[in-house]
Amino acid sequence: MTGREIREKYLKFFEQHAHQILPSASLIPHNDPSILWTAAGMVPFKPYFTGQAVPEYKRVTTCQKCIRTPDIESVGRTARHHTFFEMLGNFSFGDYFKESIIPWSWEFITKELNLPQDKLWITIYQDDDEAFEIWHKTVGVPAERIVRLGKDTNFWEIGVGPCGPCSEIYVDLGEARGCGAPDCQVGCDCDRFLEIWNLVFIQFFRDEEGNYSPLESKGIDTGMGLERVASVLQGVASNFDTDIFREIMDFTANLAGHKYGQAADTDLALKVIADHCRAVTFAVSDGALPGNEGRGYVIRRLLRRAVRFGRVLGVHEPFLYKVSQAIIEQMQDAYPELKQKSGHVIRVIHTEEERFLETLAAGSDILATLISEAKASGASEIIGNDAFRLYDTFGFPLELTQEIAAEQGLTVDEDGFNAAMEEQRKRARSARQEIEYISERGVLYKALREELGDTRFNGYSTLDTDSNVMAILKDGLQELSAVAGEEVEIILDVTPCYAESGGQITDHAMLIGPDLSVEVSFVNKPVEGLIVHRGKVLSGVLKRHDSVKVKVEQPRRQDTARNHSATHLLHKALKEVLGEHVNQAGSLVEPDRLRFDFTHYAAVTPEELLRIEEIVNQAVLANYSIETFETSLAKAKEMGAAALFGEKYGKQVRVVKMGEFSLELCGGTHLTSTAEVGLFKIFNETSVGAGLRRIEAVTGLGVLKYLGAKEAQLEELAAVIKSPVQEVVRRTEALVQHNKALEQEIEALRTKLAKSEVQDILGRITQVKGVSVLASVVAAPDMDNLRGMVDMLRDKMGSGVILLGSTAGEKVNLVAAVTKDLHGQGLHAGNLVKEIAKMVGGGGGGRPDMAQAGGKNPEKLQEAIDTVHQVVEKQMK
């Protein structure tokens, strides 16, 4: 069976058992900052297991895209380590339990996949007699093939929240794959027994004290690795030998002029490239972009590691984008989003490859300096920590550093490199975050929702409503009342207050009652259906079950809606001007401004910004009616509605329509016509990451304030240069030209003065063991001028050692030079200037022929210069 056939067979099997097939969720977890990646099939369903959200379907089956990166260095070196993989899973949210999933799993394994029963082993949690009875008596697995294991392997839990025992299905791959030990069995570290499916029985809730209580609504969470199952069914020893990987590896091998299976180092490179490029392709497709932190750093690291392994294949130009195209072709049927985003994916990968090759070139220069310094100082090896910095910062693999160093007769401190690598791994392990089902705070809000019911939001149609106080919380505890001065959280049965979400900030409001006023400053939705108001009691006493009038701050809501509606117009204008590849990547909507992040590959030109601004303002002046309505997700997509990429939508969605100009899915608050935007003005456009741009803008009265500030600046500038406002540009240009002329005149005078000073300084040359040495304090305003003087002196001297020092305020500048004919005598400009810099409270270094340094004790400069001759003499010994 091919990987595609296994995937389809699994999903169809559970569809026949009344499961709803859902598409894979994004690799970027939705509204879950606790984790970087979707790392398991259950991640998208965490809110359903915890009760934070109500599932649309009780039974679900998926093939989920997953990324895990704890063991990147092991990829390609083992049979089953991957960064990207596909997890087949079926889930029950309070529907069926062990009595159903255990027989189904056996049926699928033995009848659909035709795996021989005598090769299958089962593990269960040591105390799970219920699972044992079903496996043994209902299914008929011999008791001796059911292995009881402890809590460390067969009980799933992470902190507070739902948890439970699990049961795993293993395949015996035969004695030839084993370790040969007489006690080799399930659980052994060798490759004989391969786990292919894990069934997790969510049946307990663990509290903060570690107590377990049975859940009323039990759940099932299963996971089967597609790549592992494919390796078993296709009879191959490694996941990389399945059709899932071989197509990609063969494509890469052909691209590089190699063949898989002929050399170990080549095979390793092909495996790493196939794995990493799959991960990068899918991650970029789901909205991740290369960067220096978080997900961006992971993407950049994987891509650069793949590029480095490309060098093993002899590929020194961008090639991963071509591999990515092959991956998209192979996987687009199962994951249509790949095809939809193919242009964006290919461009991001190609751009990042080109940038990295430039970085590698910079790393080569650094390595050349390290080699030069090592040889000049008589060292025989490159320091391990320096080699690691080359690897970590510039992407130089250790093998490449060793190869280049060997050409120069040097070795690399491999132990030091490995020690630095292990330190980084320790930091990574300590920073790694686990997948959590629910936080302690989440448990509180979930319980409150179950007790009080959902909060009804009516804020689309009104800003003023009567409501009842359902609960008052202070420091996580329910209170019966709150008095003036206290800050509390308040839950109402109905509210017009918009809870912060989708980039739109919270409403502000007042709760009014007889002799009562409460100022609400923040509103959020900690669990689905429950709206929580954070506020301060200004006067009176707020009591549970009070009837209050809720009044949203109208100007703030209106200004926020003005900016939110403008983001929709901006999104459409960006697509018109820059291209359909532009997609929203995030936004912030506040009363006084808007911020809009979008995918694009270059800075937006001033001409393009003007055109975008013009299109938005034309839409404002067109006075398009803004309508909102609810429909099915399928119908909305059929209508062409734009959706925020990676966002999770239910069956019913809210659509915002602005005439025939814009159609988007959105849950935010909006105006009733585009004319209410007033004016739209972009005030900033910048990069926020590779392939990611940001526009900031203002609307309505915000534009008047912005233009007023600009006008005030112009008038201030006119006053400074003593010019009428209408003449500011011409007058400023004249001043700039005059300033340039003065600078050229000053530079010419400095050069003339320097030449004169050089002639005077040449008279201070002394001899040290037959070598001409010139050391002096000079007048040079900056390092550039100081280097220029050294160059002139070196040309005049022909042969010798020079060290000049100058002061610039509280700083000391030092430049040293050693002519090339003296390098074999132990003289090194970098070592010389480093020694002298210590005496003025500084440091520095550089090449053997030219080096510079700085210091912070100008009063000690002359004393340091006076020691140059002794230092030179010591170096020559």
Side-chain angles (χ1 to χ4, degrees), residues 138-214:
T138 305
V139 174
V141 177
E144 61 271 17
R145 288 189 176 274
I146 303 173
V147 181
R148 294 179 184 261
L149 295 176
K151 197 171 185 180
D152 56 334
T153 61
N154 278 59
F155 194 93
W156 200 97
E157 65 177 347
I158 297 181
V160 174
C163 57
C166 55
S167 180
E168 299 166 321
I169 302 174
Y170 282 77
V171 178
D172 182 356
L173 299 177
E175 291 183 11
R177 301 283 293 277
C179 57
D183 59 346
C184 181
Q185 59 181 349
V186 171
C188 183
D189 290 334
C190 71
D191 289 335
R192 176 173 176 176
F193 297 94
L194 177 66
E195 178 213 331
I196 58 170
W197 202 352
N198 188 16
L199 317 177
V200 181
F201 311 127
I202 307 299
Q203 64 186 93
F204 299 112
F205 186 90
R206 176 179 169 172
D207 63 20
E208 297 84 356
E209 286 75 40
N211 301 313
Y212 298 90
S213 55

Side-chain angles (χ1 to χ4, degrees), residues 687-705:
S687 169
V688 288
L692 194 64
R693 310 295 302 180
R694 171 173 291 170
I695 279 179
E696 295 174 274
V698 287
T699 61
L701 293 176
V703 178
L704 291 180
K705 290 178 184 177

Side-chain angles (χ1 to χ4, degrees), residues 381-629:
E381 70 175 6
I382 302 294
I383 296 170
N385 202 48
D386 287 340
F388 178 75
R389 280 193 294 108
L390 272 173
Y391 165 80
D392 196 42
T393 306
F394 296 100
F396 258 64
L398 176 62
E399 296 78 11
L400 182 59
T401 302
Q402 288 173 322
E403 181 182 324
I404 296 172
E407 291 172 358
Q408 301 296 321
L410 299 175
T411 60
V412 178
D413 173 18
E414 194 167 344
D415 290 340
F417 177 92
N418 291 333
M421 175 73 83
E422 184 56 33
E423 278 301 310
Q424 188 198 59
R425 284 176 177 156
K426 285 180 182 175
R427 289 192 295 271
R429 282 195 293 267
S430 65
R432 193 178 303 147
Q433 291 177 298
E434 298 280 8
I435 300 172
E436 288 186 289
Y437 265 131
I438 190 169
S439 66
E440 292 184 32
R441 196 75 168 169
V443 174
L444 166 67
Y445 293 124
K446 175 188 172 244
L448 280 170
R449 190 196 60 200
E450 289 177 352
E451 175 190 345
L452 306 174
D454 289 355
T455 310
R456 184 166 62 88
F457 173 68
N458 64 355
Y460 291 135
S461 57
T462 183
L463 300 182
D464 188 335
T465 196
D466 293 320
S467 186
N468 296 303
V469 178
M470 305 300 291
I472 302 169
L473 290 87
K474 185 176 180 183
D475 298 326
L477 298 175
Q478 287 203 58
E479 303 286 349
L480 294 175
S481 62
V483 299
E486 287 190 302
E487 292 189 6
V488 291
E489 291 183 325
I490 306 151
I491 298 172
L492 305 171
D493 62 344
V494 58
T495 180
C497 297
Y498 184 83
E500 185 168 274
S501 63
Q504 179 175 329
I505 68 165
T506 177
D507 276 339
H508 287 176
M510 293 295 296
L511 306 187
I512 306 296
D515 302 318
L516 171 71
S517 64
V518 180
E519 183 180 49
V520 174
S521 57
F522 185 75
V523 186
N524 74 323
K525 197 182 291 184
V527 295
E528 186 177 323
L530 189 73
I531 298 176
V532 178
H533 308 69
R534 188 185 305 157
K536 183 177 183 178
V537 182
L538 300 181
S539 63
V541 179
L542 176 70
K543 297 186 294 297
R544 187 172 183 179
H545 304 308
D546 271 355
S547 294
V548 293
K549 174 77 75 174
V550 187
K551 293 186 175 182
V552 172
E553 186 182 309
Q554 194 273 340
R556 177 184 173 89
R557 165 70 81 86
Q558 186 70 4
D559 287 342
T560 303
R562 188 171 282 116
N563 283 322
H564 201 155
S565 294
T567 64
H568 286 223
L569 301 177
L570 173 61
H571 192 186
K572 179 66 174 178
L574 285 166
K575 284 182 175 289
E576 284 192 18
V577 175
L578 303 180
E580 284 299 318
H581 66 276
V582 169
N583 280 294
Q584 181 176 346
S587 66
L588 175 66
V589 180
E590 298 180 313
D592 56 349
R593 70 180 183 121
L594 66 90
R595 188 181 76 203
F596 192 84
D597 295 345
F598 58 98
T599 52
H600 190 52
Y601 316 99
V604 184
T605 67
E607 295 77 18
E608 288 170 334
L609 285 174
L610 282 173
R611 180 62 184 142
I612 291 163
E613 214 170 57
E614 182 182 4
I615 290 172
V616 173
N617 282 303
Q618 284 174 346
V620 171
L621 293 173
N623 193 21
Y624 295 128
S625 174
I626 299 178
E627 309 167 51
T628 61
F629 57 90

Side-chain angles (χ1 to χ4, degrees), residues 369-379 410 823 826-829 831 846-848:
T369 300
L370 291 173
I371 290 172
S372 177
E373 291 179 351
K375 293 174 74 172
S377 64
L410 299 175
H823 288 180
L827 294 169
H828 187 288
N831 295 340
R847 304 190 310 269

Side-chain angles (χ1 to χ4, degrees), residues 249-258 315 317-320 322-323:
M249 293 194 299
D250 289 344
F251 175 87
T252 308
N254 184 59
L255 198 67
H258 290 276
V315 182
E317 66 278 344
F319 74 101
L320 282 183
K322 297 177 183 177
V323 180

